[in-house]
């Protein structure tokens, strides 16, 4: 939160940005609506974690990397929460692993609250970000 506050001050956007701290979107008042939900959630599956390079495992805590057995459990929760807290036309933007792209797109589609998801590739051409707009 301290980094966010410094950035808001540095860029003089305090009149347009509200910072909130929560466990994903859980516990926010029902009337909290946003134009964007942007997240880099844990998205590594437990089996994938075992295969990660040692320098990655030593640099990041396991909690910041592993999103559950399949890697999408936390993302699934966030998609449901975002549907409740995004304004119509608002965007959900998630950093993902290429290994979970199809599942993330399925989760977004299954909820019925979003337009079809788009995938953005990273500089290596790998699926890295999934975006979806909240239906009006």
């Amino acid at each position: 939160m301290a980094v966010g506050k410094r950035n808001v001050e540095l860029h003089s956007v305090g009149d347009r940005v509200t910072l909130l701290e929560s466990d994903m979107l859980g516990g926010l008042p029902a009337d909290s609506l946003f134009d964007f939900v942007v997240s880099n959630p844990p998205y590594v599956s437990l089996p994938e974690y075992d295969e990660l390079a040692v320098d990655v495992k030593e640099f990041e805590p396991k909690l910041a990397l592993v999103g559950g057995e399949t890697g999408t459990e936390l993302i699934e929760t966030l998609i449901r929460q975002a549907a409740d807290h995004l304004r119509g036309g608002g965007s959900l933007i998630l950093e993902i692993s290429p290994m979970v792209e199809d599942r993330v797109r399925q989760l977004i589609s299954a909820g019925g609250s979003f337009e079809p998801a788009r995938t953005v590739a990273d500089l290596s051409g790998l699926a890295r970000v999934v975006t979806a707009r909240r239906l009006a």
Side-chain angles (χ1 to χ4, degrees):
M1 188 67 117
V3 171
K5 287 179 183 177
R6 280 196 309 271
N7 283 332
V8 166
E9 291 171 10
L10 177 67
H11 298 288
S12 302
V13 293
D15 60 327
R16 297 178 305 230
V17 173
T18 302
L19 298 175
L20 300 172
E21 187 172 358
S22 70
D23 181 359
M24 290 196 290
L25 302 176
L28 293 179
D31 63 348
S32 296
L33 296 177
F34 305 100
D35 296 313
F36 294 93
V37 171
V38 181
S39 180
N40 177 7
Y43 51 72
V44 173
S45 69
L46 279 175
E48 187 181 6
Y49 180 78
D50 293 336
E51 302 300 318
L52 288 177
V54 172
D55 60 328
V56 173
K57 289 182 190 180
E58 290 177 357
F59 181 72
E60 292 285 348
K62 187 174 183 179
L63 181 67
L65 296 170
V66 177
E69 183 66 36
T70 68
T72 60
E73 287 83 353
L74 293 173
I75 292 171
E76 183 174 3
T77 298
L78 184 56
I79 290 168
R80 281 194 314 270
Q81 291 174 343
D84 292 336
H85 289 286
L86 277 169
R87 290 185 174 86
S91 294
L92 172 63
I93 304 170
L94 301 170
E95 181 177 340
I96 53 108
S97 160
M99 297 178 78
V100 299
E101 176 202 6
D102 289 339
R103 178 68 180 141
V104 171
R105 290 172 64 92
Q106 290 169 1
L107 290 167
I108 289 170
S109 177
S113 298
F114 293 93
E115 294 176 3
R118 285 185 331 107
T119 300
V120 179
D122 63 16
L123 294 177
S124 298
L126 300 173
R128 187 59 60 198
V129 174
V130 171
T131 69
R133 293 190 88 176
R134 177 76 166 88
L135 295 170

